[in-house]
Amino acid sequence: MLRIHFTDTDLARTRMAAAPDPLWEVAASLHRLQSSRGRWAYAGWYRMARQQTRENGLGRVLRSVLVPLYPRAAYFPDFLTPADAVGDVDAGLESILATPPRRILKEVTILDRTVGAPAWAGQLARLEARKEFVGMLRAYHDAVIAPYEEQAQARIEAERAARARGLLDGGVEGLLSGLGPMLRWRPPVLEVLYPRQVEDRDLYLNGRGLTLVPSYFNWGEPVAFADPEMPPVLWYSLLHEPSPPDAPHGVDAPEKSLITLLGRARAVALRAASTGATTGEIARAAGVSASSASRHATVLRDAGLITTVRNGPTVLHTLTPAGASLLRAVRPVE
C-alpha cells in the first residue's frame, strides 16, 4: 500500500489533470500488451495496435526496446514518464532528452536490481542514444496512442466533471473520497492499493500538493513515482464497462436500444451529459463537429432530456430527471 500524507496546504494545491499524459499512456499501453488482464476493455485497441505495429515496422522496436524498458513489474524508470508531459507529448520527449545522465544510470541500476534491465539500457545516458530512443517512442505514440487520443480525452473530461461534483459537494476531501475502489481517503491520508509484491511506503507531500492524472490505458492499481523527491503525481485508472459485441468502435457505446431510439450521436451526447459536458466535449465524445453537437444538444434539450447552463464563454449540458430516468432504464450510469 502507498500512503499519501496531506497537510491543509496540500489539499489546497491538489488538482486534476485536464488532459491525458501521453508518455504515461505509452507506458500503460505497453503494459496492456504484456498482460491479458482487462483485455476485454481494450479489445478494439489491441487489434488496432497489433495492426499498426506490423504496418509501421515497429515489431522489433516493441520486442527489443520498449517492452524490456517498460516491464509490467514493480518498477520501471521514472525518467520515462516526466512530470511535465501531461497533455504535451513534445514537452515529455524533450524532458527525456534533458534527463541528466547520472539520473538515468541510477534508475537503470534500480531496474536491473528489481526485475533486470536490458544490457543496452545504460547507453541511454548518452544523448545520441536518447535521441534514437525518443524517435522510437514518437513512432510508437503516433501509431498506437494518437488514434485513441480523442476517446481518452472524452473519458477524462467526463471523469473531471464527475469529480467536480464531489468537489462542489464536499470540497477537496469530497473529490478524494470518490476516486474509485483502489483509493481510500482516510483524512489526512489517501491510501492507494499497490501490487502485493511492492513494499508498503509513505509519501509525504510537504506542501507540494498532488496532481491526479486519470489514465485510459492504466488497468488496476494506481501508480506514483518511485522517487519521493519527484513532483507528486498519481496516475489512476478510468473505469471501463463491457460494450455490446456490435457496439460502435471508438466510443463508450450505449446499449443498442438507446442508439436505435436516439441515433448514435445523440445517445453518446446523452451519456456525456450524465456527468456534465460542454458542447465541445460532446463533439469529441461523439466524433462530430461542434455545430452538429450543438444541434444534437438542442434536440435533447427540446425533448426535456438535458438542461443547459451558460458558464462564461461555454455552456454545460447536464441531465434532467427525465434524461436520467431514460439512462437508468437502459443501464445504470457510471
Side-chain angles (χ1 to χ4, degrees), residues 1-313:
M1 178 180 293
L2 169 66
R3 293 175 290 268
I4 303 177
H5 297 259
F6 287 73
T7 64
D8 289 344
T9 302
D10 294 312
L11 289 173
R13 292 181 175 174
T14 292
R15 67 184 186 89
M16 179 168 287
D21 179 341
L23 291 189
W24 173 256
E25 297 300 338
V26 164
S29 73
L30 288 166
H31 294 163
R32 299 286 64 74
L33 293 175
Q34 296 175 60
S35 171
S36 60
R37 286 185 62 198
R39 180 67 58 83
W40 60 265
Y42 305 96
W45 171 82
Y46 183 76
R47 289 191 297 270
M48 182 276 296
R50 292 185 64 181
Q51 179 180 348
Q52 287 290 89
T53 53
R54 183 170 59 251
E55 291 179 356
N56 288 274
L58 294 172
R60 185 192 63 80
V61 167
L62 191 64
R63 293 188 302 272
S64 303
V65 179
L66 298 182
V67 168
L69 205 56
Y70 295 81
R72 184 179 168 273
Y75 178 83
F76 66 90
D78 285 338
F79 79 88
L80 297 173
T81 52
D84 58 357
V86 174
D88 192 339
V89 66
D90 293 323
L93 295 177
E94 286 297 325
S95 290
I96 291 178
L97 289 176
T99 306
R102 181 176 298 180
R103 178 185 165 193
I104 293 173
L105 292 174
K106 175 184 176 182
E107 294 184 4
V108 166
T109 299
I110 296 174
L111 176 65
D112 192 45
R113 186 170 62 242
T114 306
V115 294
W120 49 263
Q123 297 178 24
L124 291 175
R126 297 189 299 107
L127 181 58
E128 287 304 314
R130 282 204 304 287
K131 287 181 178 179
E132 183 178 359
F133 173 68
V134 161
M136 297 175 186
L137 278 183
R138 165 73 74 180
Y140 176 83
H141 173 271
D142 291 350
V144 175
I145 304 300
Y148 269 67
E149 281 182 340
E150 288 193 2
Q151 182 171 344
Q153 181 68 47
R155 288 297 309 277
I156 285 178
E157 287 169 350
E159 171 71 5
R160 280 167 56 85
R163 300 289 73 79
R165 294 188 178 185
L167 180 68
L168 290 172
D169 291 340
V172 177
E173 295 195 60
L175 181 155
L176 295 172
S177 297
L179 288 175
M182 298 207 174
L183 299 108
R184 181 168 52 190
W185 175 240
R186 290 188 170 180
V189 178
L190 181 64
E191 296 179 344
V192 182
L193 183 63
Y194 254 30
R196 292 181 181 178
Q197 67 269 29
V198 179
E199 293 183 1
D200 287 2
R201 66 187 183 100
D202 293 90
L203 173 60
Y204 293 88
L205 299 179
N206 295 326
R208 295 175 294 172
L210 179 69
T211 299
L212 297 162
V213 185
S215 171
Y216 184 82
F217 287 108
N218 195 67
W219 182 265
E221 298 88 357
V223 181
F225 283 121
D227 185 350
E229 300 303 316
M230 295 288 292
V233 177
L234 184 69
W235 294 273
Y236 71 96
S237 304
L238 292 167
L239 298 179
H240 295 266
E241 289 187 357
S243 295
D246 57 348
H249 175 67
V251 297
D252 288 331
E255 275 71 4
K256 186 176 180 180
S257 59
L258 188 63
I259 296 174
T260 302
L261 176 66
L262 299 177
R264 191 192 69 83
R266 288 174 192 164
V268 174
L270 190 66
R271 286 280 177 201
S274 68
T275 52
T278 66
T279 302
E281 291 165 358
I282 288 175
R284 283 190 287 273
V288 299
S289 68
S291 59
S292 293
S294 180
R295 289 194 296 272
H296 292 312
T298 297
V299 171
L300 294 173
R301 184 171 59 252
D302 290 347
L305 298 177
I306 67 171
T307 186
T308 300
V309 177
R310 181 163 291 280
N311 181 22

